[in-house]
Amino acid sequence: MPKAMSHDPKMQRKGSKLWIKDPLAILAAGAERGVVVQDGRITELVPANRQPASADIEIYDAGKHVVLPGLINTHHHFYQTLTRAVPAALDRELFPWLQALYPIWARLTPESLDLGMTLAMAELILSGCTTTTDHHYVFPAGLEEAIDIEVAAAGRLGLRVLLTRGSMNLSQRDGGLPPDSVVQDEDTILADSERVAARYHQPGDGAMVQIALAPCSPFSVTTSLMRSTADLASRLDVRLHTHLAETEDENRFCQELYNCRPLDYLEDCGWLNDRVWLAHGIHFNAGEIKRLARAGTTVSHCPCSNQVLASGTCPVCAMEDAGVRIGIGVDGSASNDGSNLMQEVRAAFLLQRSRYGVNKVGHCDALRWATKGSAACVGRTDIGEIAVGKMADLALFKLDELRFSGSGDPLAALVLCGAHRADRVMVGGSWIVESGAIPSLDLPGLMARHNAAAQALQSPR
Ligand SMILES: [Zn+2]
């Protein structure tokens, strides 16, 4: 008989087994009675009317929980939690929105960045996220160790991360969009990219920290830097990321500056391959979608950001039909303006259903984009799915809030009724959320300091 678990489940003892037992529902076939977790991985799915094969097992009773694979966020800018709903940037499209915010971002300090990043990750974790990317591309003087700061913050929270060393080197002086104060030169960018990859990137299965390289976008980076970054990523065997096909403005910019469309430019820079995942991917035509599929390039769909900035709608189903893998991203908190990944699943479901209809988009499609699809974007096969051998990254939701009362199908209820806060979250076999809270974090204290830092950034004396 399995023994009941005496409760300090944060860290499993090496070799010990935990049965997450009898969930209300679970997004996995053949796991009706739950899953067994050992040494950070899922070691067994327990089908209906069966017991775990393993003896000597601890039990977590999940009778009130809906269990999902941990959600994976494929696009974000953590620091932007410090500039949500900034009055000067309200009601603007991408280019003027960026121009309103660059001068504020130029004032970031290591302390404010740490607070912004920690808060973004806390918000993600509490929404059921177990792996996130971050695209950090703002490196004003004094912020040279931005990636080091976020590696430390992610480690404190226990979140699995793929952090990108972003970059901008094309300022207004050279025909780009950002001011001089937020860009760096190519040599500095490449040297630091190599430094952070050597220091932090863990290759292979089970990695908690990975590094990717991420020039910001065609309108803020030189062709030379795009090419040299692709070469460096290939040499270091790390992934590549950038914004692409987000707006019509970007199409015009590419036509004027490079005399081609954004995807042609990307290919010309050596970026059309399976090392690359792209944020947004809204303005691709049918021929371009086929080229993406052939290349194995993946796309991060960011529905809230695209709606806030009125950038257009990503053709998710057309891309999937053509063979392009799609993940979900919350995008920067200054354009979303939230970092809630479960809400983003609902947003993707609503936006894509309104575009493609009820027969084409269901709640399970949106959940798949945010799990298996997102795993493809971050280039991993060990996460994004509840299956034997995968990492034990799980998000458990309760349906005991007002919004769920009277609901029928528990998995559909998460998406349709608007789940937004996980009750428990597990990363690599360790609980990082219990009873809807992050035990290691003083959230009210963090919010007070974060608010003060945001105010200082937005209204300097
Ligand atoms: Zn973005």
Side-chain angles (χ1 to χ4, degrees), residues 45-113:
L45 305 185
V46 188
N49 305 314
R50 298 277 288 278
Q51 294 269 331
S54 326
D56 190 24
I57 192 167
E58 295 182 336
I59 289 175
Y60 179 76
D61 181 355
K64 293 191 172 130
H65 292 93
V66 184
V67 182
L68 299 180
L71 306 177
I72 300 169
N73 179 37
T74 56
H75 186 63
H76 206 343
H77 313 285
F78 291 164
Y79 72 92
Q80 291 181 8
T81 59
L82 293 157
T83 53
R84 301 199 234 225
V86 168
L90 289 178
D91 308 325
R92 297 190 180 205
E93 291 186 351
L94 181 66
F95 280 18
W97 174 87
L98 280 167
Q99 283 158 332
L101 288 168
Y102 283 137
I104 301 177
W105 296 339
R107 294 193 287 268
L108 281 166
T109 63
E111 294 73 26
S112 59
L113 187 72

Side-chain angles (χ1 to χ4, degrees), residues 64-305:
K64 293 191 172 130
H65 292 93
V66 184
V67 182
L68 299 180
L71 306 177
I72 300 169
N73 179 37
T74 56
H75 186 63
H76 206 343
H77 313 285
F78 291 164
Y79 72 92
Q80 291 181 8
T81 59
L82 293 157
T83 53
R84 301 199 234 225
V86 168
L90 289 178
D91 308 325
R92 297 190 180 205
E93 291 186 351
L94 181 66
F95 280 18
W97 174 87
L98 280 167
Q99 283 158 332
L101 288 168
Y102 283 137
I104 301 177
W105 296 339
R107 294 193 287 268
L108 281 166
T109 63
E111 294 73 26
S112 59
L113 187 72
D114 186 24
L115 291 166
M117 289 176 158
T118 303
L119 190 114
M121 285 189 270
E123 199 180 347
L124 282 165
I125 290 169
L126 289 169
S127 74
C129 173
T130 53
T131 298
T132 185
T133 61
D134 182 47
H135 187 179
H136 188 81
Y137 56 83
V138 180
F139 290 84
L143 217 58
E144 289 79 8
E145 298 194 343
I147 304 300
D148 308 73
I149 291 168
E150 70 180 325
V151 169
R156 286 195 294 273
L157 291 166
L159 184 59
R160 206 183 289 285
V161 288
L162 170 58
L163 304 173
T164 77
R165 204 301 180 184
S167 55
M168 296 194 289
N169 75 333
L170 187 68
S171 70
Q172 284 159 358
R173 198 175 39 194
D174 304 311
L177 202 66
D180 293 345
S181 52
V182 291
V183 305
Q184 293 178 304
D185 65 69
E186 181 168 338
D187 290 346
T188 305
I189 290 164
L190 293 173
D192 194 53
S193 299
E194 191 150 5
R195 178 188 72 83
V196 296
R199 182 151 187 203
Y200 298 116
H201 181 72
Q202 302 165 2
D205 231 30
M208 285 299 292
V209 179
Q210 294 195 319
I211 300 291
L213 307 185
C216 185
S217 64
F219 48 82
S220 54
V221 171
T222 61
T223 306
S224 168
L225 181 60
M226 285 295 284
R227 290 194 177 128
S228 55
T229 303
D231 290 344
L232 182 60
S234 169
R235 180 157 67 78
L236 300 174
D237 195 19
V238 297
R239 292 187 73 72
L240 272 172
H241 182 51
T242 193
H243 296 94
L244 206 82
E246 182 174 2
T247 63
E248 290 292 358
D249 280 354
E250 179 190 319
N251 284 346
R252 278 191 290 275
F253 180 92
C254 268
Q255 267 321 339
E256 276 166 29
L257 207 64
Y258 307 120
N259 201 24
C260 62
R261 284 174 56 81
L263 193 71
D264 301 323
Y265 177 63
L266 201 75
E267 184 165 26
D268 184 48
C269 292
W271 274 65
L272 194 57
N273 56 61
D274 62 3
R275 192 181 292 288
V276 175
W277 87 103
L278 301 170
H280 304 300
I282 296 167
H283 299 282
F284 290 130
N285 60 36
E288 290 169 339
I289 290 173
K290 278 193 195 135
R291 285 161 64 196
L292 287 167
R294 269 200 302 275
T297 304
T298 50
V299 171
S300 170
H301 174 36
C302 307
C304 286
S305 169

Side-chain angles (χ1 to χ4, degrees), residues 25 30 35 51 116 131 238 287 299 351 372 433 446:
V35 298
Q51 294 269 331
T131 298
V238 297
V299 171
L351 184 65
K372 267 180 102 164
V433 172
L446 171 65

Side-chain angles (χ1 to χ4, degrees), residues 412-454:
L414 290 183
V415 179
L416 294 170
C417 306
H420 64 123
R421 187 143 185 169
D423 183 61
R424 297 185 82 88
V425 175
M426 174 180 272
V427 175
S430 301
W431 294 113
I432 62 168
V433 172
E434 296 174 74
S435 303
I438 301 170
S440 59
L441 189 67
D442 165 21
L443 199 58
L446 171 65
M447 284 167 60
R449 285 180 292 139
H450 179 269
N451 262 317

